[in-house]
Amino acid sequence: MSCKKCPELRNKRVVKEIIQEQLVLESDLASDTVFASRLAICASCEHLIDRHTCAICGCYVEFRARLAYKRCPLKKGW
């Protein structure tokens, strides 16, 4: 399943570029260890779309997981 509103964003390279552009604006980032742990949880979640979008909140998981102050919308361990 993919986002029907954003078909041009299905390309993983484009998604990574968007995430990097937005992270430059952030100062409260999670450590690499925390980030990796969060991504592992997201990777096993049944609500992950196209390996990069959360079907519950609509966020790119690599962006949300990198922000220290963000939490999983389903509270699945982070």
Side-chain angles (χ1 to χ4, degrees), residues 3 12 26 58 61 69 72 74:
C3 177
K12 190 167 178 76
E26 299 289 338
V61 294
Y69 57 90
C72 168
L74 296 175

Side-chain angles (χ1 to χ4, degrees), residues 20-56:
Q20 290 307 313
E21 288 174 8
Q22 292 302 308
L23 286 175
V24 168
L25 305 173
E26 299 289 338
S27 60
D28 190 9
L29 302 178
S31 70
D32 290 344
T33 303
V34 169
F35 176 64
S37 171
R38 290 175 169 184
L39 286 184
I41 292 169
C42 290
S44 64
C45 181
E46 67 274 16
H47 300 289
L48 184 63
I49 300 172
D50 288 345
R51 296 177 293 178
H52 54 67
T53 303
C54 174
I56 301 301

Side-chain angles (χ1 to χ4, degrees), residues 1-7 10:
M1 178 172 39
S2 62
C3 177
K4 294 178 180 175
K5 292 182 179 179
C6 308
R10 291 181 196 166

